[in-house]
Amino acid sequence: MITGIINTNVDVSDRYITRQGQVTFFSYTNVENIEAKNNQVLSVIDFSKNEIAISMLMKAFVFKKALMREHFNESYIESDLYPKATLEGIILDFDPANREDQTKIVKGKITIRGITKEVEIKTKITFQEQKYIFSGDFELTVKDFEIKIPSVLAPNIAKNISVQFKFEYEPYEL
Amino acid sequence: MSLMNCNMYFLFVALVCGLSSVNAQSLLDELDKVQSDAHPYELATFKSSRISLGHSTETLKKGVLEIGSRSRFWNIPNSDIQSFVADKMSTRLSLEYGISNRLTFGVGGTTLDGIFDMFLKYKMVRQRKHGFPFSITLLQSGSYQSERTSLADIHRSDDFADRLAFTTQLLLSKKVTSQFSLQFSPTLVHRNSSVFEEDPENHFALGMGGRYKVGGHVSIVSEYYHLFNPLESRDTYNAFSLGVNWELSDVMLQFQLTNTRNLVEDAFITQTPNNFNFNDGNLVFGFTGIFILHLHNGLKK
């Protein structure tokens, strides 16, 4: 009976959430290295359908160099018009009951500046202390999201931006 | 008992309905409800510490050293001088430093009239997206005019104290839309001495400035200072400027068409000798180059 309840808890409380997901992006060029971190990323997973959603505010990215936040939000991302970046997708072939370390593909749609791209992101999934931990990295192409870079600054900003992420999901308490 | 069961049943139905209505929306919609605004302040009301002529409400970020060169070029009408580009120029070279995100300290020297100035600028209130609708910054600057002016000198003697002037400004700005920002700058200029008794020692002025962002990195700016009690001993005109700011990463370039020749507040607000028009000698071309050095690296809060 008790195990039954616990089991149903695992199955029924299908939703896991994080409010402090971490997303870091890097742009490495010969001229300049740019790094920015957002550790207030929201994400929720519905394990009944293995659906995942991520939402982050662009303004919450902090940079190493002062003024970068202003430039990033005002001149590149236009966060007044597009305040969020989002991802909606599904975790392929994932069984939440299997708590071993594993690597799965998250397939979904990523939206930045109102432009949506299909992505497949290799994700490492571990289970520790009642938390599902999703981590990994992938690359995004600046051009895909129609981010305008003035030609004088073209050498300062990488064509491909590498993105690292780490989310620790806890059971969603309503 | 049966009543309680009934209650439980209703509770269950309500829960199921509630859950199914949640399920009907996408997970993203659900996240929207929990999202809290991480940075409720308006960013980049102005990108630079100056709108065009005068200070904006923006302060430098902590640990940032701004190296600035601000120049004005103009011609002397009907002159026989065969000079390159312009007959006259004036440049203010400056170092300005962000002590904290709110407090900036700056020093500068201007070639015209040998004016040395320093200022402290403190950002008191930041405009919020949903909340306080303005940014308020306080500026206090002082300047020392080390040379006799090219025009008639306005200071009484060569004593150090007689050649000082102080400017106090309450800068109020509002980012109206993501493109458009507006600023009002009530200003008090105090000059320690005057040659002529009829000249006021305290001048009151109201500055008005605006920025309109036309592209990712380019904005058009304009600024005007209305002086309520100008000098009596000579004709002066209100300072006006129309300019383009080019905002790159660590470099900012500003171009101005203006009637002001000096670059320090007290001088250009109270002592601009010519009106703004396209006549030779009146039209002043301004160029500002700012380079930012980061002395305090690390992820910013």
Side-chain angles (χ1 to χ4, degrees):
Chain A
M1 177 65 186
I2 289 167
T3 48
I5 288 167
I6 289 170
N7 275 338
T8 49
N9 267 348
V10 168
D11 294 341
V12 171
S13 67
D14 298 318
R15 287 187 186 203
Y16 276 66
I17 191 167
T18 177
R19 291 180 166 87
Q20 271 115 33
Q22 294 176 4
V23 170
T24 313
F25 71 77
F26 306 90
S27 151
Y28 294 127
T29 64
N30 295 333
V31 185
E32 186 171 22
N33 292 333
I34 300 167
E35 181 186 336
K37 189 172 190 177
N38 186 340
N39 49 22
Q40 297 170 59
V41 181
L42 271 178
S43 177
V44 65
I45 298 178
D46 182 348
F47 282 120
S48 67
K49 292 176 243 163
N50 278 342
E51 282 180 355
I52 181 168
I54 301 171
S55 173
M56 69 181 103
L57 287 173
M58 296 316 238
K59 270 191 177 176
F61 275 101
V62 289
F63 289 76
K64 278 198 168 171
K65 278 185 168 181
L67 276 184
M68 284 263 181
R69 192 187 208 169
E70 265 88 348
H71 287 306
F72 174 74
N73 283 290
E74 223 212 0
S75 305
Y76 296 102
I77 291 296
E78 298 175 272
S79 62
D80 279 329
L81 296 173
Y82 315 104
K84 289 173 192 168
T86 59
L87 183 141
E88 257 180 316
I90 46 169
I91 312 158
L92 299 177
D93 312 320
F94 180 64
D95 177 10
N98 175 7
R99 266 108 189 241
E100 285 164 21
D101 291 3
Q102 51 196 308
T103 301
K104 295 288 171 196
I105 299 282
V106 172
K107 185 172 189 244
K109 289 174 181 162
I110 197 164
T111 306
I112 302 172
R113 293 187 77 246
I115 296 162
T116 303
K117 290 278 161 208
E118 299 268 352
V119 285
E120 289 188 10
I121 300 164
K122 224 203 257 175
T123 307
K124 198 180 152 207
I125 302 170
T126 58
F127 188 81
Q128 282 171 14
E129 296 162 6
Q130 303 303 309
K131 291 178 188 170
Y132 288 95
I133 300 169
F134 281 47
S135 61
D137 54 77
F138 61 100
E139 287 207 338
L140 287 175
T141 307
V142 175
K143 227 189 204 171
D144 284 348
F145 299 97
E146 293 171 25
I147 296 166
K148 287 177 219 114
I149 295 169
S151 53
V152 280
L153 288 177
N156 297 51
I157 296 166
K159 303 269 176 294
N160 294 310
I161 305 290
S162 51
V163 182
Q164 273 181 14
F165 62 91
K166 190 178 183 192
F167 296 101
E168 297 184 5
Y169 293 93
E170 293 174 328
Y172 194 171
E173 283 156 22
L174 287 166
Chain B
M1 196 63 185
S2 67
L3 193 68
M4 199 178 161
N5 272 339
C6 194
N7 273 344
M8 290 292 276
Y9 176 72
F10 273 116
L11 192 66
F12 178 69
V13 168
L15 265 175
V16 167
C17 288
L19 281 175
S20 57
S21 71
V22 166
N23 275 332
Q25 317 171 305
S26 78
L27 286 176
L28 264 184
D29 294 334
E30 226 175 297
L31 282 181
D32 272 353
K33 288 182 208 150
V34 243
Q35 189 116 52
S36 61
D37 201 345
H39 188 89
Y41 303 107
E42 286 284 2
L43 283 170
T45 307
F46 298 97
K47 273 266 177 81
S48 158
S49 64
R50 306 298 197 284
I51 300 175
S52 183
L53 304 170
H55 279 273
S56 71
T57 48
E58 299 289 339
T59 50
L60 296 178
K61 298 283 183 291
K62 187 182 177 185
V64 163
L65 180 69
E66 181 193 293
I67 302 166
S69 159
R70 296 173 163 83
S71 300
R72 300 277 188 269
F73 305 89
W74 68 97
N75 280 331
I76 297 169
N78 312 318
S79 73
D80 295 331
I81 312 169
Q82 299 250 319
S83 49
F84 179 67
V85 184
D87 295 342
K88 284 277 197 180
M89 79 175 280
S90 166
T91 299
R92 177 178 180 267
L93 295 172
S94 63
L95 288 176
E96 298 175 8
Y97 182 73
I99 297 164
S100 75
N101 281 342
R102 287 174 183 270
L103 185 65
T104 300
F105 172 71
V107 289
T110 310
T111 54
L112 184 72
D113 304 339
I115 296 177
F116 294 92
D117 68 283
M118 53 172 75
F119 70 84
L120 270 175
K121 190 175 175 184
Y122 186 73
K123 195 175 221 174
M124 296 199 294
V125 187
R126 292 186 286 173
Q127 183 184 348
R128 283 170 173 266
K129 268 243 178 308
H130 309 284
F132 198 78
F134 305 104
S135 292
I136 304 176
T137 299
L138 206 60
L139 175 93
Q140 178 60 56
S141 78
S143 75
Y144 168 68
Q145 188 183 315
S146 67
E147 290 168 17
R148 287 264 160 199
T149 53
S150 40
L151 301 156
D153 197 351
I154 201 161
H155 299 280
R156 191 166 51 211
S157 76
D158 281 341
D159 282 357
F160 180 78
D162 275 352
R163 307 190 74 78
L164 295 178
F166 300 93
T167 307
T168 309
Q169 285 190 305
L170 183 70
L171 309 168
L172 306 161
S173 75
K174 181 169 177 62
K175 190 163 190 174
V176 184
T177 69
S178 57
Q179 266 90 38
F180 182 58
S181 306
L182 199 62
Q183 179 176 305
F184 288 94
S185 333
T187 304
L188 167 69
V189 175
H190 171 79
R191 198 173 42 257
N192 257 12
S193 75
S194 294
V195 184
F196 302 102
E197 273 190 7
E198 68 259 39
D199 286 341
E201 286 188 339
N202 294 312
H203 294 270
F204 300 95
L206 178 66
M208 285 159 271
R211 165 182 186 252
Y212 189 80
K213 194 178 127 200
V214 287
H217 299 262
V218 182
S219 58
I220 292 172
V221 287
S222 184
E223 218 177 349
Y224 176 71
Y225 273 91
H226 184 81
L227 186 59
F228 294 103
N229 55 337
L231 294 173
E232 301 285 342
S233 61
R234 68 171 81 154
D235 286 339
T236 61
Y237 292 87
N238 290 327
F240 175 77
S241 154
L242 188 63
V244 175
N245 293 359
W246 199 27
E247 298 139 351
L248 296 166
S249 60
D250 291 339
V251 178
M252 300 230 191
L253 304 178
Q254 301 185 326
F255 305 88
Q256 295 108 11
L257 289 177
T258 173
N259 60 335
T260 63
R261 297 171 179 180
N262 222 312
L263 297 111
V264 179
E265 287 73 30
D266 64 87
F268 77 71
I269 293 171
T270 66
Q271 297 173 49
T272 294
N274 50 296
N275 206 346
F276 181 81
N277 55 44
F278 290 91
N279 297 339
D280 215 18
N282 288 357
L283 185 71
V284 179
F285 175 72
F287 173 73
T288 297
I290 297 167
F291 184 70
I292 300 280
L293 274 181
H294 299 264
L295 304 181
H296 173 85
N297 269 336
L299 285 180
K300 303 292 184 294
K301 284 290 149 208

